[in-house]
Amino acid sequence: HDIDLLLITNELWASGAEAIAVNDQRILAGTAIRCAGPTTQVNGVPITSPYRFVALGNPEILANSLNMPGGVLERLRQIECPVTITKSERLVVPSIPTARRFRYVEPVEPEGNSE
């Protein structure tokens, strides 16, 4: 469920993915992946299985990391969740959603920067 999606996402980041999406929802540092009843929400959008990840990065490293012994995909396969990895030369990841507007945060100049 949501924890499995989060584990896959974290493994992809750790193995050098430069962009990730699941079921057409772009994953960013602040993306929430959470269980909401019978569905999982990503960016507040309900998604259901089958889950399709798209990750941009070195395809060999990404696949090897996901398939490592004792890893998340091995555990999913043990409980008979069908998992396939397909490598492609050309993938499209959805654009980054509209930038979040902050109400309490503002940029500051680093100390010691004088021009």
Side-chain angles (χ1 to χ4, degrees):
H1 220 13
D2 58 337
I3 192 68
D4 298 318
L5 300 181
L6 186 57
L7 290 170
I8 292 168
T9 300
N10 286 342
E11 190 59 54
L12 289 168
W13 285 136
S15 58
E18 296 177 4
I20 303 171
V22 60
N23 289 24
D24 294 323
Q25 289 299 309
R26 180 75 178 260
I27 306 293
L28 301 171
T31 296
I33 300 174
R34 58 184 289 272
C35 180
T39 64
T40 300
Q41 288 187 356
V42 177
N43 295 324
V45 175
I47 64 170
T48 58
S49 66
Y51 301 108
R52 181 177 183 260
F53 278 85
V54 175
L56 304 183
N58 182 308
E60 296 301 320
I61 293 173
L62 296 177
N64 289 340
S65 295
L66 289 172
N67 282 317
M68 75 174 130
V72 62
L73 294 190
E74 181 177 287
R75 186 179 58 78
L76 290 172
R77 288 178 178 128
Q78 288 173 349
I79 59 171
E80 299 182 12
C81 282
V83 177
T84 57
I85 295 177
T86 304
K87 299 174 194 171
S88 178
E89 291 293 320
R90 188 155 178 87
L91 294 171
V92 176
V93 174
S95 63
I96 296 173
T98 304
R100 185 171 158 186
R101 294 187 184 265
F102 293 101
R103 295 184 344 188
Y104 305 103
V105 176
E106 62 183 55
V108 296
E109 291 294 321
E111 291 184 34
N113 274 1
S114 58
E115 294 183 27

